Amino acid sequence: MHGDERAERIADFIEPLRVEPGSKVRLGRDFDPRDKAGLKKREGVELLRSGVELLAEYQQRLAAQDTYGVLLCLQALDAGGKDGTIRHVMSGVNPQGVRVSSFKVPSAEELDHDYLWRYAKRLPERGGIAIFNRSHYEEVLVVRVHPELLVRQRLPGHARGSGVWKRRYQEINDWERHLTDNGFKVVKIFLNLSKEEQRTRFLKRLDLPEKNWKFSAADVRERQYWDDYQRAFSRMLSATSTEWAPWYVVPADRKWFARICTAAILAHTLIDIDPRYPEVDEETRKDLRTAKRRLEQEAPEGLPADPYAARHPSAGKKKRG
Ligand code: AMP
Ligand code: MG
């Protein structure tokens, strides 16, 4: 398939998942966790494979260009499939170019700083991809659902009044704007799981001994706050989907489908950046030729001046596109 056509197909595929900036989202009404865009699982697995290949290729170019970085934020309720999505979607990329950070209950040191501090410390470098398994959005999700967590943050009086959530949305939008303007793309994905599928996955963790380690009684307690979370997610999606960093709501009841969507959204971002291998200028090319001559002169008696070129007759002749 031609590159532009592929890019267009990816853009069309993810369009329905994008939260229109400024729109008011109500999760239960606007997004179906069971959706699979008419795909069959078999087709999906094939699509994911080509998506993973595409990501590997683009990640290499992103690293070589060393100008842009990408931050992928993954949010979901418990058992939403964040870990498996990361494992599958990033399975083809060079581990040196990716860093995954998981955010748990904040430490005493983290609580001793402003709420964005620990996330800022894990931002990507230029040329790199950072994945946040949970992200700064926990600060307007779990912290909003459990106000006692806000108390632990020891904010001064003027910062913890009733306007705190609206202000945090604004601060997060501003922070992401700053990152985007400086070359760091922010990609935000919410894996949207249904309550019934969460129940099934919890039970699976109980039923299969090799899954027992993943089960947490706390997750079942948290499930009691389901409606509060849906509300907090809906408000967060409405307030923080921006032109520079839109949210994507990915149907998550089918793991294979959630993975394709995530790969497609990330691919779309990288295609948009369109990173190129750096061009070598004439000055540098001269240096390369000098270095080549020097190495060729070091050839031992009876061996080819350039063993690589001898084995690859076309090397050095084709121009890089
Ligand atoms: P897990 O991802 O299953 O290891 O769980 C991590 C736990 O940390 C979840 O229960 C989150 O709700 C919690 N958590 C993550 N970020 C925060 C935060 N900023 N404040 C309080 N709890 C958090
Ligand atoms: Mg957990």
Side-chain angles (χ1 to χ4, degrees):
M1 200 187 301
H2 192 259
D4 291 343
E5 195 186 321
R6 188 173 62 176
E8 216 167 290
R9 278 188 35 173
I10 291 173
D12 288 347
F13 179 70
I14 66 172
E15 179 55 29
L17 312 175
R18 184 170 175 275
V19 175
E20 187 57 33
S23 67
K24 199 162 163 43
V25 175
R26 228 172 60 213
L27 268 182
R29 176 195 65 187
D30 301 335
F31 292 95
D32 176 11
R34 294 196 55 75
D35 188 33
K36 55 181 175 116
L39 281 180
K40 296 204 176 61
K41 183 168 180 181
R42 195 166 25 82
E43 303 165 321
V45 170
E46 199 42 55
L47 266 178
L48 182 61
R49 208 195 325 266
S50 60
V52 165
E53 266 171 35
L54 189 142
L55 287 178
E57 177 201 321
Y58 271 89
Q59 186 251 334
Q60 207 173 333
R61 279 160 52 177
L62 185 79
Q65 178 176 284
D66 208 12
T67 302
Y68 292 95
V70 174
L71 170 63
L72 172 64
C73 301
L74 273 182
Q75 285 294 152
L77 283 167
D78 294 310
K82 298 189 302 305
D83 298 326
T85 299
I86 294 169
R87 197 169 62 241
H88 282 82
V89 171
M90 305 313 285
S91 62
V93 308
N94 180 351
Q96 291 211 74
V98 183
R99 180 163 74 164
V100 184
S101 300
S102 300
F103 296 100
K104 318 257 174 196
V105 178
S107 68
E109 190 194 16
E110 288 167 347
L111 286 170
D112 226 17
H113 292 80
D114 78 276
Y115 72 96
L116 289 177
W117 180 75
R118 66 172 182 161
Y119 309 98
K121 285 207 302 184
R122 309 295 294 181
L123 286 172
E125 52 191 25
R126 295 195 195 279
I129 299 175
I131 300 181
F132 282 3
N133 183 343
R134 301 184 189 273
S135 69
H136 48 295
Y137 283 98
E138 290 296 340
E139 306 296 336
V140 292
L141 293 167
V142 67
V143 181
R144 184 165 194 173
V145 170
H146 299 286
E148 66 273 19
L149 295 175
L150 191 64
V151 176
R152 292 187 60 208
Q153 298 189 352
R154 306 202 321 279
L155 297 168
H158 69 86
R160 60 178 131 85
S162 59
V164 60
W165 307 117
K166 214 172 146 204
R167 214 190 60 239
R168 282 194 175 189
Y169 293 147
Q170 187 62 49
E171 288 160 355
I172 288 172
N173 287 344
D174 290 345
W175 190 52
E176 292 176 355
R177 172 97 218 202
H178 159 77
L179 293 172
T180 310
D181 285 348
N182 285 282
F184 298 94
K185 294 267 184 181
V186 184
V187 185
K188 306 184 301 201
I189 294 181
F190 169 51
L191 299 176
N192 187 25
L193 187 73
S194 74
K195 195 172 184 188
E196 179 55 12
E197 180 61 21
Q198 187 193 55
R199 192 174 74 91
T200 308
R201 290 185 189 176
F202 282 166
L203 282 166
K204 182 174 176 189
R205 290 176 181 184
L206 291 167
D207 292 341
L208 300 179
E210 72 273 21
K211 294 264 178 200
N212 283 173
W213 67 275
K214 267 208 140 179
F215 180 80
S216 142
D219 290 353
V220 174
R221 275 199 300 279
E222 215 49 19
R223 181 175 159 80
Q224 296 174 347
Y225 297 93
W226 182 272
D227 292 340
D228 295 335
Y229 272 107
Q230 295 292 301
R231 217 172 0 254
F233 269 108
S234 296
R235 286 172 165 162
M236 173 274 268
L237 292 166
S238 309
T240 62
S241 196
T242 55
E243 292 296 345
W244 54 93
W247 271 104
Y248 291 90
V249 177
V250 164
D253 275 15
R254 293 179 172 86
K255 289 178 179 174
W256 60 268
F257 189 67
R259 290 164 191 170
I260 300 168
C261 293
T262 303
I265 292 161
L266 191 53
H268 175 75
T269 307
L270 289 166
I271 290 170
D272 197 40
I273 295 174
D274 193 21
R276 302 293 173 103
Y277 291 108
E279 285 281 334
V280 175
D281 60 26
E282 192 40 49
E283 182 103 1
T284 315
R285 229 187 302 268
K286 227 162 70 195
D287 292 344
L288 297 184
R289 278 196 297 268
T290 309
K292 182 170 157 75
R293 257 194 315 275
R294 195 166 299 159
L295 284 167
E296 285 174 345
Q297 281 161 6
E298 286 179 25
E301 265 307 304
L303 290 180
D306 182 344
Y308 181 81
R311 269 180 275 144
H312 303 86
S314 64
K317 298 212 174 86
K318 72 174 173 230
K319 233 182 131 19
R320 210 158 42 197

